[in-house]
Amino acid sequence: MSDIKSLEDIFNDDDLGLLDDGKDGDIFKIKHVPVQRAAADEVAKRKRCKDFDQFEHLFKDVHRELREGKRKLLPFNDKGYQLVEGNYYVLNGLLVYLADINFTSEAKTVDGKRFRKDGRTRTIFENGTESTMLYRSLAKALYKDGRIVSETNEQENSNFYTNFSGITDDDTSTGYIYILKSKSTDSRIQSYDHLYKIGFATTTVEKRIANAKKEPTYLMADVEVIAEYQAFNINPQKFEYYLHAFFGESCLDLLVADKDGKNHQPKEWFIAPLEVIQQAVELLVNGQIMSYQYNKFKKEIELR
DNA sequence: ATCAGAGCATGCGCGTATTT
DNA sequence: AAATACGCGCATGCTCTGAT
């Protein structure tokens, strides 16, 4: 517009919307202007790690385990609290060991302002350097260009079992492990001599099976409780994983239709003598199950 | 010797997702 | 609906390094 005579003309000529109100990008929105901010109390610097010989072999192990597929590189997201002492990460292509976290500020809010949990870490890099960078700085760097290195199966096992069988004052009962037998009249199910379900319930077993008749998980039939064990801090996914690994092909492979005719494949039903089922549960509880497996031909438990 | 640029660590704001 | 947490994005300020 060439002939601008009034204020109105000016606003009408605002092709870029700079004079609009409230919208992003207008001139009333202050951007690129420094705000008062606290100085960093300390800026961590990467420096040579004096006792790197203590860590060097750990990095070598992790590299080997990665090659062997025992560990995997997974995307980093802190949803599941991935940033934990003792874990390994790949930051900008460099393997990193998080040796220590010392939280000095907790997540809190002070009149509207939010603060995040933070603190100094001890972070060891595979190139022989270390840093005391802040927890949040590490997390942020990992979000930008980082991966988390998964645990080995052995570690998962030991984590699982320290939670599984160690009962301390802090522990609360988190559920029950039970052994069941089906009362189904279905000929497919009756054809199995020794068919049992090993399950886990966060409520009492009676409560859990009250509705068995209507649940495909229980083969749409009432069940008989054979045994019941109190269990602590169980991870149901791992529980199931170990059972299937142990029983292998002796897991029931059967489709069961629910009341709407939709097919389900019940898990956790196993074909084996009751003694074997009971031993399996004992092995679960004492942390030995991953060393054994069930031989369905000999009908006995053998070392892996 | 000086300077520009890259890399690192940090504080903090903001939009969106998740809880409450 | 409101409060909080998360996942960034971006600016700052420092040091180190390589080019001039």
Side-chain angles (χ1 to χ4, degrees):
Chain A
M1 199 186 273
S2 51
D3 53 338
I4 290 173
K5 299 190 191 85
S6 68
L7 202 55
E8 202 146 327
D9 291 339
I10 292 174
F11 282 110
N12 287 338
D13 195 38
D14 179 27
D15 291 341
L16 297 176
L18 294 176
L19 302 177
D20 296 350
D21 55 345
K23 291 277 184 299
D24 193 52
D26 72 39
I27 62 171
F28 302 110
K29 184 143 182 169
I30 296 174
K31 258 181 165 178
H32 310 298
V33 174
V35 289
Q36 186 140 9
R37 58 142 65 186
D41 58 329
E42 180 199 334
V43 176
K45 252 182 60 182
R46 295 191 191 183
K47 56 181 197 286
R48 181 127 284 122
C49 175
K50 311 124 276 169
D51 52 350
F52 188 66
D53 49 328
Q54 282 189 35
F55 299 101
E56 193 165 9
H57 69 279
L58 296 176
F59 287 114
K60 289 195 169 129
D61 288 349
V62 171
H63 270 292
R64 179 171 40 74
E65 286 158 359
L66 279 168
R67 276 198 306 277
E68 291 169 354
K70 285 185 185 163
R71 291 177 186 265
K72 291 193 175 67
L73 292 181
L74 304 173
F76 179 80
N77 66 306
D78 207 20
K79 276 267 161 57
Y81 301 99
Q82 288 186 337
L83 204 47
V84 175
E85 283 175 19
N87 273 3
Y88 295 88
Y89 307 86
V90 175
L91 177 57
N92 302 318
L94 204 62
L95 191 58
V96 168
Y97 175 62
L98 181 52
D100 189 57
I101 309 174
N102 177 24
F103 285 113
T104 49
S105 72
E106 291 303 309
K108 63 180 180 213
T109 61
V110 175
D111 40 81
K113 287 225 165 197
R114 283 183 262 284
F115 298 88
R116 294 175 227 203
K117 192 176 175 182
D118 208 350
R120 288 346 283 203
T121 64
R122 183 172 185 211
T123 307
I124 317 279
F125 298 81
E126 67 172 327
N127 60 6
T129 60
E130 68 174 296
S131 171
T132 57
M133 68 198 294
L134 288 173
Y135 172 82
R136 296 218 57 82
S137 293
L138 213 210
K140 167 175 240 176
L142 287 169
Y143 283 126
K144 187 159 176 273
D145 181 13
R147 301 290 197 86
I148 181 169
V149 180
S150 72
E151 295 187 337
T152 62
N153 291 336
E154 286 85 346
Q155 271 179 309
E156 282 179 19
N157 289 343
S158 73
N159 285 351
F160 177 67
Y161 284 114
T162 50
N163 293 334
F164 194 92
S165 53
I167 298 167
T168 70
D169 290 344
D170 291 337
D171 280 319
T172 50
S173 164
T174 54
Y176 300 88
I177 293 174
Y178 54 80
I179 299 174
L180 297 178
K181 199 174 169 167
S182 179
K183 291 181 176 172
S184 172
T185 51
D186 186 319
S187 60
R188 295 179 304 171
I189 291 162
Q190 286 193 324
S191 69
Y192 294 107
D193 283 341
H194 304 287
L195 178 67
Y196 299 95
K197 174 177 169 66
I198 301 176
F200 172 70
T202 51
T203 60
T204 62
V205 178
E206 299 79 71
K207 241 184 182 169
R208 181 69 188 86
I209 64 174
N211 210 26
K213 251 186 190 150
K214 292 178 183 143
E215 292 188 61
T217 307
Y218 295 101
L219 310 178
M220 305 295 285
D222 279 331
V223 292
E224 178 189 342
V225 178
I226 307 279
E228 187 177 330
Y229 310 79
Q230 204 170 14
F232 297 84
N233 296 335
I234 289 284
N235 177 330
Q237 283 77 41
K238 289 181 181 175
F239 171 84
E240 193 180 313
Y241 170 82
Y242 285 113
L243 277 177
H244 281 92
F246 178 82
F247 282 108
E249 289 175 13
S250 298
C251 302
L252 179 67
D253 183 15
L254 186 72
L255 289 179
V256 176
D258 64 18
K259 63 174 171 43
D260 302 320
K262 198 170 162 231
N263 273 333
H264 296 262
Q265 179 158 33
K267 304 277 192 314
E268 298 179 351
W269 286 89
F270 306 99
I271 301 148
L274 185 57
E275 312 88 76
V276 169
I277 299 281
Q278 283 171 330
Q279 280 176 52
V281 173
E282 278 167 33
L283 287 171
L284 261 175
V285 171
N286 69 21
Q288 308 273 306
I289 196 166
M290 65 282 202
S291 308
Y292 296 88
Q293 64 190 7
Y294 175 59
N295 184 319
K296 67 173 177 177
F297 302 109
K298 293 185 191 161
K299 289 193 173 15
E300 55 191 42
I301 292 170
E302 58 190 23
L303 270 169
R304 228 172 236 286

